[in-house]
Amino acid sequence: MSELAVSSLTLEACHSLSDIPRETWERLAGTDNPFLRYEFFEALESSLCTSEKTGWKPCHLAFRLGGEIAGVAPAYLKSHSMGEYVFDWAWADAYRRYDMEYYPKLLIAVPFTPSQGPRLLLDPQLRSALNARQIHNLLDTLIGHIGAHSWHLLFPSAEDQQLFQQDKHLHRIGCQFHWHNQGYGCFEDFLGQLTSRKRKSIRKERRQVAEQEITFTRFHGRDLPDHVLAAFYVFYQATYLKRGQHPYLSRQFFEQIRQTMPEHLHVIMAIKDGEMIAGALFLSGKNTLYGRYWGCLEEYNHLHFETCYYQGIELAIDLGLQTFDAGAQGEHKLVRGFEPVLTHSWHGIAHPGFHDAIEVFTREEAEQVMGYYEDAKTALPFRQNDGA
């Protein structure tokens, strides 16, 4: 594709997923990643979890060449910063102190999902012809047209990051903890790679859960009964209500993805005295298990670690998946064999003065995150790290 052809590229905002043909989205996104499935975004919109009322007004991007869609991206016009996991509250507060509007902002992201993955779903020829200057100019122009004051790209893949390597735009990094499958045949194979002290500690935690007479039952999305999904949703709600918040996702959303993309869905329920007492929901992709939603009504010793982490590790091994992404933050994952992983986001701030101030912040923040990341690597519990 020539530079002249790319110069005719336009970027438009679509205020409903239905404005983009399903076959076009699937051609560009594929069907391996559950968080890029057309059905996933369709469920979010039809259940009204992403709507103008919730502050997640759909604003999906369509890249057009000669009138034909050559790329798409999930995007939203946001009136707040909740459910993003890349925190810019301080930026919004600074705008407020100067009596300026920070919102609305254009967010290119998967709602409520702090998982790295493709965000710009581009035709391969278009991707190879684009450069950072072009993509930034398109986004800078678009936010002016839609009345936004900034754009934000959250948790992009390495391939997408290459399109954003430009000094004038703001780059933030974060740190998560992911578990990696080194060809383990079972959980004991994984434990065998840990130091003796950490191995004993994990076995003790699992034993204490068993001593409370708690067992676990696994359900695949194709065989997930209504009463189990209903119980899980009660637990999921409780996680938010304990913090005085309303849950981001509705029961209708979970019911819809069970119907439309069950092959990605897995639920693990904790059972005591014949009753379900806690549950965790996972989504699986081609190579990765994503642990996303969990809850319980009563606290039990080590139940969270067992349900969300150890049961998740066993599920990833059984499914033959290479990585287990158990969610954002969580330093306690480190001593349980989850390794530090850097995450990224890119930001375009229209106001020159705020852009410069935020650039200083992101530089200082990056130094702190990199220091933390390097320290975390020395604390891993694997035997080869003894004395590191």
Side-chain angles (χ1 to χ4, degrees):
M1 184 176 295
S2 68
E3 185 174 344
L4 180 62
V6 173
S7 68
S8 67
L9 181 68
T10 61
L11 181 60
E12 66 181 49
C14 303
H15 298 299
S16 171
L17 187 67
S18 61
D19 293 338
I20 301 172
R22 179 189 297 266
E23 58 272 19
T24 300
W25 187 283
E26 291 181 346
R27 173 176 58 84
L28 296 165
T31 57
D32 290 334
N33 187 321
F35 300 122
L36 297 180
R37 291 285 298 264
Y38 191 92
E39 293 86 348
F40 184 84
F41 295 104
E42 189 175 46
L44 286 171
E45 289 189 26
S46 64
S47 65
L48 300 181
C49 295
T50 53
S51 65
E52 187 168 10
K53 183 177 179 180
T54 63
W56 288 83
K57 182 180 179 181
C59 196
H60 306 303
L61 306 185
F63 297 81
R64 289 188 179 271
L65 273 174
E68 298 296 321
I69 296 179
V72 296
Y76 299 85
L77 198 61
K78 290 293 302 297
S79 58
H80 56 69
S81 294
M82 293 185 290
E84 298 175 12
Y85 301 94
V86 175
F87 304 110
D88 61 353
W89 300 105
W91 303 0
D93 187 57
Y95 271 70
R96 181 189 57 78
R97 291 199 304 271
Y98 282 88
D99 200 27
M100 296 178 63
E101 295 292 334
Y102 184 70
Y103 306 105
K105 63 179 184 179
L106 177 67
L107 188 77
I108 307 166
V110 178
F112 325 119
T113 305
S115 295
Q116 292 193 99
R119 295 294 179 264
L120 302 185
L121 313 175
L122 304 176
D123 179 274
Q125 284 189 310
L126 174 59
R127 181 180 293 276
S128 64
L130 274 175
N131 60 44
R133 176 182 54 80
Q134 291 165 328
I135 194 70
H136 284 141
N137 287 344
L138 286 168
L139 288 170
D140 290 345
T141 300
L142 180 67
I143 62 173
H145 288 162
I146 64 176
H149 304 293
S150 59
W151 57 259
H152 308 262
L153 174 77
L154 307 188
F155 302 105
S157 65
E159 192 176 25
D160 283 346
Q161 290 170 43
Q162 293 176 5
L163 288 177
F164 286 82
Q165 298 289 349
Q166 183 169 307
D167 290 341
K168 77 168 188 173
H169 285 93
L170 308 171
H171 177 208
R172 297 182 73 181
I173 60 174
C175 186
Q176 293 182 352
F177 302 93
H178 297 177
W179 181 87
H180 300 288
N181 187 351
Q182 304 298 334
Y184 304 127
C186 62
F187 194 88
E188 280 299 313
D189 289 348
F190 158 61
L191 288 184
Q193 298 302 309
L194 305 185
T195 63
S196 175
R197 184 167 64 88
K198 296 301 182 184
R199 187 164 58 244
K200 290 177 181 177
S201 175
I202 290 175
R203 284 177 176 154
K204 181 179 179 181
E205 288 182 352
R206 304 199 80 186
R207 185 172 62 251
Q208 289 179 344
V209 172
E211 288 170 351
Q212 296 172 87
E213 299 183 340
I214 298 173
T215 59
F216 295 86
T217 301
R218 187 186 301 174
F219 298 90
H220 189 277
R222 294 189 180 93
D223 306 300
L224 180 59
D226 287 343
H227 75 280
V228 173
L229 184 59
F232 162 76
Y233 191 70
V234 170
F235 300 142
Y236 164 75
Q237 284 182 303
T239 299
Y240 290 86
L241 295 175
K242 289 173 184 177
R243 302 195 296 260
Q245 300 176 359
H246 291 288
Y248 293 127
L249 299 170
S250 67
R251 182 171 168 179
Q252 179 187 341
F253 166 80
F254 290 108
E255 290 174 343
Q256 189 163 334
I257 64 169
R258 178 184 59 171
Q259 178 181 351
T260 59
M261 42 186 287
E263 64 272 27
H264 297 285
L265 192 61
H266 307 268
V267 171
I268 294 176
M269 300 298 283
I271 312 294
K272 181 176 173 63
D273 298 329
E275 300 290 334
M276 292 178 283
I277 61 169
L281 184 144
F282 304 79
L283 292 167
S284 60
K286 183 177 181 180
N287 299 309
T288 302
L289 180 69
Y290 303 93
R292 277 297 159 265
Y293 315 112
W294 128 276
C296 64
L297 299 183
E298 297 182 35
E299 300 298 325
Y300 293 87
N301 200 19
H302 302 306
L303 180 60
H304 175 255
F305 297 147
E306 176 66 41
T307 310
C308 294
Y309 303 149
Y310 304 145
Q311 291 290 322
I313 289 173
E314 289 188 342
L315 177 59
I317 292 173
D318 290 347
L319 294 174
L321 300 176
Q322 298 172 5
T323 303
F324 175 27
D325 169 0
Q329 304 170 325
E331 194 174 73
H332 50 272
K333 298 170 188 166
L334 187 64
V335 295
R336 294 171 173 84
F338 288 75
E339 303 178 36
V341 174
L342 291 176
T343 62
H344 302 265
S345 63
W346 294 84
H347 308 263
I349 303 295
H351 190 282
F354 277 108
H355 173 279
D356 293 345
I358 292 172
E359 184 179 27
V360 173
F361 166 83
T362 58
R363 249 194 336 261
E364 294 174 349
E365 180 189 50
E367 292 178 4
Q368 296 171 359
V369 172
M370 285 303 301
Y372 175 79
Y373 169 75
E374 294 297 335
D375 286 344
K377 289 194 292 186
T378 69
L380 286 168
F382 297 103
R383 286 184 295 166
Q384 57 266 37
N385 286 337
D386 283 354

